[in-house]
């Protein structure tokens, strides 16, 4: 687990931050039932380290009820993007924290139900009055009980009361798109109640998270910031020797490396198990290793303790080439940005080389103590997303299919033959409850083929739909498999003119003419509706050059800052794909 700076470091650094210099910005509100000193400053500094400018608002002491229930409160005037509601067990339980058994079991249950109802009403008020995401903490289940060891024999005892509260809060927020529960109980378990709750600080000023652990809590909360802004990582790039196994296979041989078996080998096997679990939820794995290919692939394919197999890696660069060049090729092969990658290597020199060459790559030097590999990986919050979609779960398999497509492309005599052989089927669907999370995810993450790079949360998408606009997505299938929902468009409808607010494609399907298929269907629908023109805009960024000429190549004319298609012009339809529109 990475070591945090002291709270004083963050408080001092926060004083000199200038959020105006950051391209990406976020507005964070903190409200709670106890003293929250230090969290706001730490979050602002941590945002700056992610190249994000953070505006913040901290409510007054224990003013969360007033802030949420008053429509004219400073909280709503601040208009946050994310609001953290941090509650403590003493405030929620009141006198029952120390004397729960002075009332009956029935009364204890009624008390908890009432508290849950209060929180439920706050959530409803907040979601009605704000577009902000709300992150609500659950309660830490206390190790203390006034009944001591007899606690487990009591019907609906103190610990059961708190657990019931947590479960009910989880249930009522499960299907509320903009509300999330932060597992503060897990945070307390991870770091220890004795460490996180400092009685001296509590007595001094109702500080219920010790100054030493505020940076760790703030780090955990930045996972929501990364998810909201689409800053999560897509790919873990791994060295091999002394990273996925102990020893150097080229020198120690197949039988001489450490993997499974002894305590050292078990550390590497456990590290691989955790990597595989992360891969299964949609994170790509790749290899960047200076090694003899035959030696390394023999271990990957044949070693009985090897958890990660060849099919788990979307890209493998096992050679004696420069690691910086390999990293660049991995990004190109996978068609993802370098800023979407994390690189793990045990060699500090290699790590420094990658870091200096590609500062946008998150580079992690593995600790000398291999038993810390797993805790280090567990401490990262760079894979957090607000919702895991079907496309995420199937991403590993989709990249294996992509390898097959590239093999076909290399065999084809020209691009037209390749596209014809793919037998592409394009399905254009209307946004619905099932696809909205994926549509939002693509607007947050897609950079290369994204005409406007406008970022939208789930609730933003729903508002477009409720206003009568056309929010659509494209599912792409071919002879090798289903790429899932990989295209998105948002069209604002007016009687005589349609405006393309958003048009994007996942990098995985670029170069196959999918964009022309989608656009042709939009134009056909516009013509059917009697629209005279369709208007689009290209807003250039550092990354979206691949779609700079999209409108002009299709026949749109530049008028001011916009591109306009006259519906009297012919609509070009790609011949190499079939298309259906829902």
């Amino acid at each position: 687990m990475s070591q945090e700076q002291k709270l004083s470091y963050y408080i001092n650094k926060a004083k000199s931050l200038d959020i105006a210099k950051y391209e990406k910005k976020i507005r964070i509100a903190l409200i709670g039932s106890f003293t929250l000193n230090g969290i706001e400053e730490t979050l602002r500094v941590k945002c700056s380290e992610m190249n994000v400018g953070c505006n913040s608002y901290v409510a007054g002491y224990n003013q969360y009820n007033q802030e949420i229930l008053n429509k004219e409160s400073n909280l709503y005037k601040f208009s946050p993007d994310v609001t953290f509601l941090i509650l403590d067990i003493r405030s929620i339980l009141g006198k029952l924290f120390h004397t729960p058994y002075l009332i009956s079991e029935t009364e204890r249950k009624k008390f908890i139900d009432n508290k849950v109802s209060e929180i439920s009403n706050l959530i409803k008020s907040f979601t009605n009055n704000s577009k902000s995401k709300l992150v609500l903490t659950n309660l830490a289940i206390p190790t203390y009980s006034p009944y001591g060891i007899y606690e487990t024999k009591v019907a609906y005892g103190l610990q059961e009361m708190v657990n019931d509260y947590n479960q009910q809060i989880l249930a009522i927020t499960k299907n509320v798109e903009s509300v999330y529960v932060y597992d503060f109980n897990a945070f307390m378990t991870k770091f220890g109640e004795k460490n996180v709750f400092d009685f001296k600080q509590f007595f001094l000023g109702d500080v219920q998270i010790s100054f030493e652990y505020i940076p760790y809590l703030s780090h955990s909360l930045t996972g929501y910031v990364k998810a909201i802004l689409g800053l999560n990582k897509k790919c873990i790039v791994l060295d091999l020797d002394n990273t996925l196994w102990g020893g150097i296979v080229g020198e120690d041989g197949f039988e001489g490396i450490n993997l499974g078996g002894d305590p050292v080998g078990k550390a590497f096997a456990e590290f691989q198990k955790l990597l595989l679990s992360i891969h299964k939820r949609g994170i790509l794995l790749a290899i960047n290793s200076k090694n003899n290919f035959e030696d390394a692939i023999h271990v990957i394919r044949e070693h009985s303790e090897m958890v990660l197999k060849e099919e788990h890696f979307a890209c493998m660069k096992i050679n004696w080439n420069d690691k910086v060049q390999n990293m660049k090729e991995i990004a190109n092969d996978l068609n993802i940005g370098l800023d979407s990658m994390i690189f793990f290597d045990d060699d500090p020199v290699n790590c420094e080389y990658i870091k200096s060459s590609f500062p946008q790559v998150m580079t992690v030097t593995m600790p000398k103590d291999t038993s810390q590999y797993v805790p280090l990986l567990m401490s990262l919050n760079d894979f957090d997303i607000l919702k895991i979609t079907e496309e995420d779960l199937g991403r590993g398999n989709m990249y294996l299919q992509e390898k097959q497509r590239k093999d076909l492309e290399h065999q084809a005599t020209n691009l037209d033959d390749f596209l014809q052989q793919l037998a592409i089927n394009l399905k254009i669907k209307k946004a619905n409850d099932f696809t909205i999370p994926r549509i939002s995810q693509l607007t947050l993450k897609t950079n290369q083929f994204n005409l406007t790079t406008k970022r939208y949360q789930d609730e933003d998408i729903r508002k477009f739909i409720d206003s009568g606009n056309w929010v659509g997505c494209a599912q792409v299938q071919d002879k090798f498999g289903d790429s899932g929902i990989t295209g998105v468009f948002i069209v604002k409808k007016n009687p005589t003119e349609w405006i393309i607010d958003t048009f994007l494609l996942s990098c995985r399907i670029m170069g196959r003419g999918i964009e022309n298929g989608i656009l042709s269907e939009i134009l056909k629908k516009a013509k059917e509706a009697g629209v005279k023109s369709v208007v689009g805009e290209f807003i250039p960024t550092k990354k979206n050059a691949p779609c700079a000429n999209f409108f002009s190549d299709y026949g749109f004319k530049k008028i001011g800052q916009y591109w306009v298609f006259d519906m009297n012009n012919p609509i070009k339809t790609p011949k190499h794909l079939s298309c259906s529109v829902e």
Side-chain angles (χ1 to χ4, degrees):
M1 183 177 60
S2 57
Q3 190 67 31
E4 278 288 351
Q5 298 278 1
K6 290 186 176 180
L7 181 59
S8 57
Y9 163 83
Y10 293 103
I11 291 175
N12 290 328
K13 192 166 183 180
K15 296 174 183 175
S16 59
L17 290 178
D18 177 14
I19 68 164
K21 71 177 185 179
Y22 298 104
E23 184 179 343
K24 288 190 175 182
K25 295 183 175 64
I26 193 164
R27 301 176 70 81
I28 297 177
L30 286 164
I31 54 179
S33 59
F34 58 94
T35 303
L36 300 175
N37 291 358
I39 301 177
E40 176 258 346
E41 293 90 342
T42 309
L43 283 173
R44 285 199 289 118
V45 173
K46 286 186 172 292
C47 284
S48 73
E49 291 170 350
M50 298 185 289
N51 291 317
V52 173
C54 173
N55 274 309
S56 57
Y57 170 74
V58 182
Y61 173 79
N62 200 22
Q63 295 292 301
Y64 67 95
N65 274 295
Q66 296 91 320
E67 290 278 7
I68 291 175
L69 296 175
N70 179 8
K71 293 181 181 179
E72 304 300 320
S73 71
N74 289 329
L75 170 66
Y76 296 130
K77 290 176 183 176
F78 175 69
S79 188
D81 298 307
V82 58
T83 301
F84 294 108
L85 173 55
I86 305 175
L87 303 175
D88 72 283
I89 188 171
R90 285 170 169 79
S91 295
I92 296 297
L93 295 188
K95 293 179 180 179
L96 293 192
F97 177 76
H98 291 101
T99 56
Y101 306 121
L102 293 182
I103 61 176
S104 69
E105 175 190 349
T106 301
E107 290 173 310
R108 291 197 295 273
K109 286 183 176 179
K110 185 176 180 181
F111 176 88
I112 290 297
D113 288 344
N114 287 338
K115 286 297 176 183
V116 170
S117 180
E118 289 174 12
I119 297 297
S120 181
N121 288 333
L122 288 176
I123 291 171
K124 287 174 185 175
S125 293
F126 185 87
T127 53
N128 286 336
N129 295 320
S130 175
K131 295 189 295 183
S132 169
K133 301 287 187 189
L134 176 64
V135 180
L136 163 71
T137 61
N138 66 8
L139 300 181
I141 298 173
T143 56
Y144 152 86
S145 168
Y147 273 18
I149 62 173
Y150 190 66
E151 164 74 18
T152 57
K153 295 293 186 181
V154 181
Y156 205 68
L158 175 62
Q159 293 166 358
E160 196 174 345
M161 289 168 63
V162 179
N163 188 57
D164 184 27
Y165 170 92
N166 287 345
Q167 292 302 313
Q168 289 195 56
I169 292 296
L170 195 62
I172 64 174
T173 59
K174 187 77 76 174
N175 296 313
V176 183
E177 292 287 350
S178 60
V179 181
Y180 300 83
V181 173
Y182 173 72
D183 196 349
F184 184 71
N185 183 59
F187 176 82
M188 189 73 85
T189 301
K190 181 177 181 179
F191 292 101
E193 181 185 68
K194 189 175 179 181
N195 296 318
V196 176
F197 188 88
D198 185 309
F199 274 98
K200 182 177 288 187
Q201 293 177 19
F202 171 60
F203 295 145
L204 283 171
D206 198 16
V207 175
Q208 302 210 27
I209 302 168
S210 76
F211 297 147
E212 184 180 352
Y213 286 90
I214 281 175
Y216 290 98
L217 176 65
S218 301
H219 166 77
S220 191
L221 296 180
T222 58
Y224 293 96
V225 175
K226 293 174 182 178
I228 289 169
L229 295 178
L231 299 177
N232 51 296
K233 304 299 182 183
K234 299 176 183 177
C235 180
I236 299 174
V237 184
L238 298 145
D239 180 38
L240 292 177
D241 293 330
N242 291 313
T243 301
L244 285 189
W245 57 69
I248 301 171
V249 68
E251 296 177 4
D252 301 320
F254 183 91
E255 302 293 341
I257 62 170
N258 281 317
L259 184 57
D262 64 17
V264 175
K266 285 180 181 178
F268 290 102
E270 191 70 17
F271 182 55
Q272 287 195 32
K273 288 176 185 176
L274 183 56
L275 285 166
L276 180 58
S277 71
I278 294 172
H279 169 69
K280 290 294 185 183
R281 51 147 288 189
I283 303 302
L284 301 176
L285 301 179
I287 295 173
N288 184 356
S289 172
K290 284 193 174 185
N291 236 312
N292 292 320
F293 180 82
E294 293 302 327
D295 291 339
I297 203 69
H298 182 42
V299 175
I300 293 170
R301 289 174 178 169
E302 304 296 336
H303 201 289
S304 62
E305 298 292 336
M306 191 74 190
V307 177
L308 296 173
K309 298 296 184 181
E310 193 171 358
E311 65 265 22
H312 297 132
F313 296 103
C315 186
M316 294 192 297
K317 298 295 178 183
I318 305 172
N319 50 44
W320 293 103
N321 297 342
D322 185 278
K323 283 202 172 186
V324 165
Q325 181 60 31
N326 277 347
M327 189 68 75
K328 192 173 182 180
E329 290 179 8
I330 291 169
N332 289 337
D333 289 353
L334 298 180
N335 211 354
I336 61 176
L338 287 161
D339 58 353
S340 298
M341 302 162 77
I342 300 181
F343 178 55
F344 288 91
D345 198 321
D346 67 295
D347 185 349
V349 175
N350 277 328
C351 288
E352 189 56 39
Y353 184 33
I354 294 289
K355 194 181 295 184
S356 60
S357 302
F358 299 130
Q360 63 270 53
V361 174
M362 180 177 171
T363 304
V364 179
T365 305
M366 304 305 286
K368 291 181 179 179
D369 181 356
T370 57
S371 70
Q372 296 306 300
Y373 280 21
V374 169
L376 172 64
L377 183 55
M378 284 181 169
S379 71
L380 299 178
N381 61 6
D382 298 276
F383 313 115
D384 287 330
I385 52 180
L386 296 177
K387 186 161 186 175
I388 296 175
T389 65
E390 293 270 339
E391 283 73 20
D392 294 320
L393 296 175
R395 185 170 289 116
N397 188 49
M398 289 174 184
Y399 271 85
L400 289 177
Q401 294 169 4
E402 189 60 25
K403 285 182 180 178
Q404 295 174 308
R405 293 185 187 97
K406 291 197 172 182
D407 289 342
L408 176 63
E409 185 176 9
H410 292 147
Q411 295 167 17
T413 55
N414 57 57
L415 179 60
D416 288 339
D417 285 346
F418 166 64
L419 293 176
Q420 287 291 345
Q421 290 178 54
L422 276 180
I424 298 171
N425 180 26
L426 174 62
K427 294 182 178 180
I428 295 177
K429 301 180 174 184
K430 289 182 180 178
N432 56 35
D433 287 342
F434 179 75
T435 58
I436 284 172
R438 174 62 176 167
I439 291 170
S440 171
Q441 185 184 74
L442 283 170
T443 69
L444 293 172
K445 292 167 54 177
T446 307
N447 295 303
Q448 294 183 65
F449 201 107
N450 190 337
L451 291 170
T452 58
T453 61
K454 294 178 180 179
R455 313 301 189 183
Y456 294 124
Q457 303 294 335
D458 290 18
E459 50 268 32
D460 299 318
I461 303 296
R462 293 182 192 280
K463 285 181 180 176
F464 275 117
I465 298 169
D466 293 342
S467 299
N469 301 302
W470 184 14
V471 179
C473 57
Q475 181 178 359
V476 180
Q477 299 169 322
D478 62 25
K479 65 185 290 184
F480 294 111
D482 190 338
S483 296
I485 294 170
T486 41
V488 166
F489 59 88
I490 299 174
V491 177
K492 295 180 177 177
K493 291 183 175 182
N494 296 310
T496 60
E497 180 182 78
W498 283 9
I499 301 168
I500 299 174
D501 173 271
T502 296
F503 191 104
L504 62 86
L505 287 183
S506 167
C507 57
R508 284 193 284 115
I509 59 166
M510 286 169 55
R512 300 177 205 165
I514 307 295
E515 62 276 18
N516 293 326
I518 297 171
L519 184 56
S520 69
E521 295 302 327
I522 292 174
L523 296 175
K524 287 175 188 176
K525 288 293 183 184
K527 194 162 192 174
E528 289 174 12
V531 172
K532 293 181 179 180
S533 62
V534 173
V535 178
E537 185 180 11
F538 172 69
I539 303 174
T541 68
K542 294 177 182 178
K543 296 182 180 181
N544 69 352
C547 59
N549 299 320
F550 176 56
F551 283 134
S552 60
D553 288 348
Y554 199 92
F556 282 63
K557 300 298 181 185
K558 187 79 177 287
I559 301 177
Q561 70 182 77
Y562 297 101
W563 291 90
V564 180
F565 187 87
D566 187 334
M567 296 310 299
N568 293 315
N569 293 335
I571 297 171
K572 296 183 289 185
T573 303
K575 304 298 183 186
H576 68 279
L577 54 79
S578 62
C579 184
S580 62
V581 182
E582 190 178 79

